[in-house]
Amino acid sequence: MNDQIPKAVLTEALREQISGRRVLAALFCTFRFEPGFFEQEILPALFDLPLHQAPAVRRLQLEDALRPLAGQVAVYYDRGALVVGDGTACLDVRRIPVQLTRGYFHPKNAFILVEDEDTGERALVALTASANLTQAGWWENVECFHLDEIPEGGRSRTAGDMRLFLRRVRSLAKHLGPHDALDQVNAFLSTVQPITQRSTNQVLHPHFIVTGSRSGASLVEQLDDIAGKWLRGADLEVISPYLDDADASAPLAALLDRFQPQRWRILLPEERGSARCRKSLYEWVHARGGQWGRLPAAHTARSGRQASGLAASPRYVHAKVYRFFTSDYEISFVGSFNLTGPAHQAGGNIESGVLVEVPRPRRPRFWLEPVDETPDFAPTAASEDDDVDLDVIPLLVRYDWTSEKADVLWDAAAVSPPLDVHQSGPLFTLPPLQSATWTQLPDADARMLAERLRSSSFLTVVDGDRRGVVLVHETGMAHRPSLLLELTPAEILRYWSMLNPDQRAAYIAARPGDIPDGGAEAPHIPAAEPVDSIFDRFAGMFHGFASLARTVREALTDGRTEHARFLIFGAKYDSLPVLLQRVLDDTDGDLVDRYLTVLCAHQLTSEVRQDWPQFWASDPIGVARLETSLAARAELREQIAARNGEDMVDFLDWYEARFLDDPAEVPA
């Protein structure tokens, strides 16, 4: 950061920092949250995958990529700032709303735990930014961010403060859990050795700063405590899209009084050519000896599809940057802090930022170009709560795909009124609910909710004249049916046999026009050409099961337990229980093929039960469902024997014992 304003694409910078390493956990914090955009455009940065251009096919690829991370990707967001947007919320992401009694949950962070698969070395990629998890934040606005990496067992000045921040986030989301991603990141940070000194060799260490605790210090007090001797007397530049709707800025006055900058300049918040602040505040800045400024047009101009001819409006400046610089050094503070009272004071918003000394290849200069002419003023000042749903309905809804149970909780002090819940029409009605108490839904309502969740996790809740949108908190995602796709038994076996993600993606995308973006229908991919011999049919079946067994063994050996769970106990389009159910439902199919498929499944599950007993015991509901399907082998045997005479019973006894490799069952 110097007189040349740095530029980078946030998604590309994050992907480059991860650098092809395997993601073990990912925790995001945001004010505004657009789940559809997050799933389609931000999640892909976590994976080194050649994703298909069709959104529906890409969603299927991401669904597969998330399997080893089951429960280890989480987003914490302000409940009043949910953005429905385009798309839906359907992938395995823990979506956890946070609501403060005072102020907003306003941080913008990502904590991504990664591992080098060759060396086994782990690290934490830490992103601190001004960008919400929305299309505007990651694609359209002018934003700022700081990326850092903390090695396992290394030393860090920020790790301790990050742990305190995560502890605060966990306490605010006390009603929803589990918090697997947060716990993993916190456990990793506990291995990092703290750096206690503020600087080394007169170079400031990065500092992670948080406000929001009533017993804590204000932003100005924290800046002074950390780096006051460097900040005093330096030039000051403030870029913030929001200011207090007041005649004077109390947080700016606190900065000026505390640090006495030689020169200072502040961004003029503008929209459609008008200043979004009071005229009296504009004049107050000049009276205090400051200047208003704008970013150069080259940094706010739209490009590509964003532009709409010469009349296109400039990009909205949403960055939050505080630059302190002299001829000798520059110290910048970037993050979520607007120049407002709730952001700066103790007990206001929960905010986060990083104070960092920036390498100085040349003498720093102001980024903002001075505004010489008095602008027009908009009727109202820009506010942090612009577009926030002030009619928040404090209902929490969770659904567990493993137990097939649903619960609701009224997160307010008083008893709730009766509530109507909708999704594409009425869903169910809730009677008055006690405060802060989970109430299980009737089984019929839970089944109806599960059916609607296959299309979207958004619900509309109606309280009289108030309407609010809530996101269902889903767990047990291995047992969640695939949103977009169903395969025939032959197609599942072919899918298991494919060698790499590229082949599987090409197979799924064979008929992309048949896969809907909305996910309301579940199309069939064209089946393979019929084979000509019993040998070809059986060889394909055995090869498919051998490939599945190899994949499961590798996953369990490598500690990727959740990936194995999806395949052995899950409800996805390529899971073993789904194959068995398809076979058992296909009463017109070849009887011997159906019998051999169940026998292969029995062989595979016996191996898993014997070699990985802890994994087998970890999902009793999944085991029970699987064993119910496997029990159909007896009925299929009877049907084969009935068609072929009593000698077939002896043959099947001998064949099954040989097939299952159990000498105890081989007749003498």
Side-chain angles (χ1 to χ4, degrees):
M1 295 181 183
N2 47 63
D3 58 316
Q4 298 297 317
I5 303 176
K7 289 184 179 181
V9 177
L10 184 49
T11 310
E12 293 177 1
L14 184 59
R15 182 180 288 113
E16 183 178 343
Q17 190 73 39
I18 294 172
S19 187
R21 290 172 291 183
R22 182 160 68 99
V23 172
L24 303 178
L27 165 67
F28 295 84
C29 296
T30 185
F31 173 55
R32 296 180 64 74
F33 179 40
E34 188 174 352
F37 178 82
F38 174 79
E39 292 185 354
Q40 284 285 306
E41 306 298 342
I42 300 178
L43 267 183
L46 304 183
F47 305 107
D48 186 18
L49 287 175
L51 294 174
H52 197 275
Q53 61 182 1
V57 178
R58 185 163 64 246
R59 191 176 294 123
L60 285 172
Q61 291 179 278
L62 289 169
E63 183 180 74
D64 289 352
L66 282 166
R67 292 181 186 186
L69 287 171
Q72 301 294 343
V73 179
V75 177
Y76 295 80
Y77 65 97
D78 190 284
R79 185 188 296 166
L82 183 63
V83 182
V84 176
D86 295 328
T88 185
C90 61
L91 296 178
D92 189 2
V93 175
R94 298 278 169 83
R95 302 173 290 263
I96 303 176
V98 175
Q99 185 173 16
L100 308 185
T101 56
R102 178 182 178 186
Y104 296 118
F105 182 73
H106 203 255
K108 286 89 173 173
N109 301 94
F111 302 94
I112 302 169
L113 186 60
V114 297
E115 180 184 61
D116 188 303
E117 295 191 73
D118 294 329
T119 65
E121 295 177 351
R122 300 196 306 165
L124 183 70
V125 174
L127 170 73
T128 305
S130 64
N132 291 300
L133 296 180
T134 63
Q135 179 172 324
W138 282 60
W139 276 12
E140 298 172 7
N141 298 337
V142 177
E143 305 279 1
C144 66
F145 65 90
H146 175 77
L147 269 171
D148 194 12
E149 183 164 320
I150 303 173
E152 186 171 23
R155 302 181 70 233
S156 170
R157 186 64 177 78
T158 59
D161 292 321
M162 287 178 178
R163 291 192 70 194
L164 293 174
F165 170 69
L166 294 177
R167 187 183 307 166
R168 174 76 166 140
V169 172
R170 201 181 202 285
S171 70
L172 290 169
K174 59 182 180 296
H175 292 308
L176 283 174
H179 302 276
D180 296 338
L182 188 151
D183 291 342
Q184 263 219 74
V185 172
N186 191 47
F188 174 88
L189 288 171
S190 70
T191 71
V192 177
Q193 299 299 313
I195 296 176
T196 56
Q197 62 268 33
R198 293 179 174 84
S199 63
T200 298
N201 297 326
Q202 292 298 303
V203 176
L204 185 71
H205 291 297
H207 285 67
F208 187 75
I209 297 177
V210 178
T211 59
S213 171
R214 294 186 181 182
S215 60
S218 69
L219 176 59
V220 169
E221 291 169 335
Q222 293 189 63
L223 293 175
D224 193 12
D225 181 60
I226 295 167
K229 66 179 181 179
W230 289 296
L231 305 186
R232 285 188 178 85
D235 291 336
L236 171 64
E237 184 167 47
V238 179
I239 299 175
S240 168
Y242 300 118
L243 310 172
D244 287 323
D245 186 11
D247 297 327
S249 172
L252 179 56
L255 285 168
L256 299 176
D257 293 343
R258 182 69 62 102
F259 301 119
Q260 298 291 315
Q262 293 290 325
R263 301 175 299 163
W264 57 280
R265 196 171 290 177
I266 177 175
L267 176 76
L268 180 65
E270 295 178 285
E271 191 171 7
R272 297 183 179 88
S274 296
R276 295 291 305 273
C277 68
R278 290 189 187 183
K279 184 178 181 180
S280 54
L281 178 59
Y282 182 87
E283 295 170 345
W284 177 84
V285 166
H286 284 300
R288 287 292 305 252
Q291 286 183 304
W292 293 94
R294 296 187 182 99
L295 282 175
H299 293 271
T300 60
R302 298 181 185 272
S303 60
R305 287 181 296 177
Q306 290 181 341
S308 178
L310 296 177
S313 61
R315 291 190 297 152
Y316 187 66
V317 179
H318 192 258
K320 294 102 165 122
V321 183
Y322 299 74
R323 299 177 68 222
F324 298 84
F325 56 90
T326 70
S327 60
D328 297 322
Y329 57 83
E330 175 184 343
I331 296 175
S332 288
F333 181 58
V334 299
S336 68
F337 287 81
N338 288 302
L339 190 56
T340 63
H344 282 234
Q345 68 194 25
N349 299 341
I350 292 184
E351 309 273 2
S352 67
V354 171
L355 186 70
V356 58
E357 184 163 351
V358 180
R360 187 184 58 82
R362 66 185 75 178
R363 181 186 177 113
R365 299 178 181 175
F366 283 107
W367 292 348
L368 297 173
E369 298 174 341
V371 174
D372 296 323
E373 75 287 353
T374 301
D376 294 328
F377 293 90
T380 58
S383 171
E384 284 180 316
D385 61 10
D386 281 358
D387 300 323
V388 173
D389 183 1
L390 298 179
D391 250 354
V392 174
I393 295 181
L395 181 71
L396 302 180
V397 184
R398 67 185 183 190
Y399 184 83
D400 181 13
W401 288 96
T402 303
S403 66
E404 299 180 341
K405 301 297 183 183
D407 303 89
V408 293
L409 180 143
W410 184 250
D411 192 14
V415 175
S416 80
L419 302 170
D420 294 318
V421 181
H422 298 256
Q423 191 204 87
S424 302
L427 195 54
F428 49 79
T429 297
L430 296 173
L433 302 171
Q434 296 297 317
S435 171
T437 302
W438 285 106
T439 301
Q440 185 173 313
L441 291 181
D443 289 345
D445 291 345
R447 285 193 296 270
M448 190 176 298
L449 175 62
E451 185 61 32
R452 300 293 178 87
L453 286 175
R454 295 189 65 175
S455 296
S456 174
S457 298
F458 287 110
L459 300 177
T460 299
V461 182
V462 181
D463 168 15
D465 295 332
R466 296 196 305 160
R467 300 174 67 89
V469 177
V470 301
L471 268 175
V472 179
H473 182 72
E474 300 175 70
T475 56
M477 295 292 276
H479 297 280
R480 188 191 203 273
S482 286
L483 182 65
L484 298 172
L485 186 66
E486 291 181 359
L487 300 176
T488 67
E491 290 161 358
I492 294 174
L493 291 169
R494 286 180 66 201
Y495 191 78
W496 287 348
S497 302
M498 292 177 179
L499 298 177
N500 57 56
D502 289 347
Q503 290 181 349
R504 291 191 286 272
Y507 180 59
I508 294 298
R511 292 289 183 88
D514 294 340
I515 302 178
D517 285 346
E521 303 295 334
H524 287 276
I525 283 180
E529 292 295 323
V531 293
D532 296 329
S533 69
I534 292 178
F535 174 80
D536 290 331
R537 296 204 321 271
F538 292 171
M541 181 186 302
F542 298 153
H543 178 55
F545 270 97
S547 299
L548 175 64
R550 182 174 61 252
T551 301
V552 171
R553 282 196 298 269
E554 290 175 353
L556 291 173
T557 300
D558 294 344
R560 294 179 284 116
T561 305
E562 293 305 320
H563 189 194
R565 187 185 312 282
F566 273 80
L567 292 171
I568 295 297
F569 301 126
K572 302 302 182 185
Y573 58 89
D574 61 337
S575 298
L576 179 61
V578 172
L579 170 72
L580 289 173
Q581 194 59 51
R582 299 275 187 274
V583 167
L584 298 177
D585 290 344
D586 185 18
T587 55
D588 295 329
D590 185 273
L591 182 59
V592 174
D593 286 357
R594 297 169 68 210
Y595 168 73
L596 281 176
T597 300
V598 176
L599 195 61
C600 287
H602 189 101
Q603 181 187 54
L604 172 61
T605 54
S606 295
E607 177 187 338
V608 173
R609 183 192 300 111
Q610 177 178 331
D611 293 345
W612 288 280
Q614 288 185 329
F615 168 71
W616 187 262
S618 68
D619 198 332
I621 294 177
V623 168
R625 291 172 181 165
L626 193 56
E627 290 182 338
T628 298
S629 296
L630 293 173
R633 186 180 106 202
E635 182 180 347
L636 295 172
R637 269 180 54 114
E638 290 177 3
Q639 294 179 29
I640 292 174
R643 294 183 183 182
N644 293 276
E646 292 187 4
D647 290 345
M648 180 58 69
V649 175
D650 293 337
F651 171 76
L652 292 177
D653 286 341
W654 172 86
Y655 180 77
E656 287 187 2
R658 292 287 184 182
F659 191 94
L660 299 175
D661 195 24
D662 186 355
E665 295 189 17
V666 179

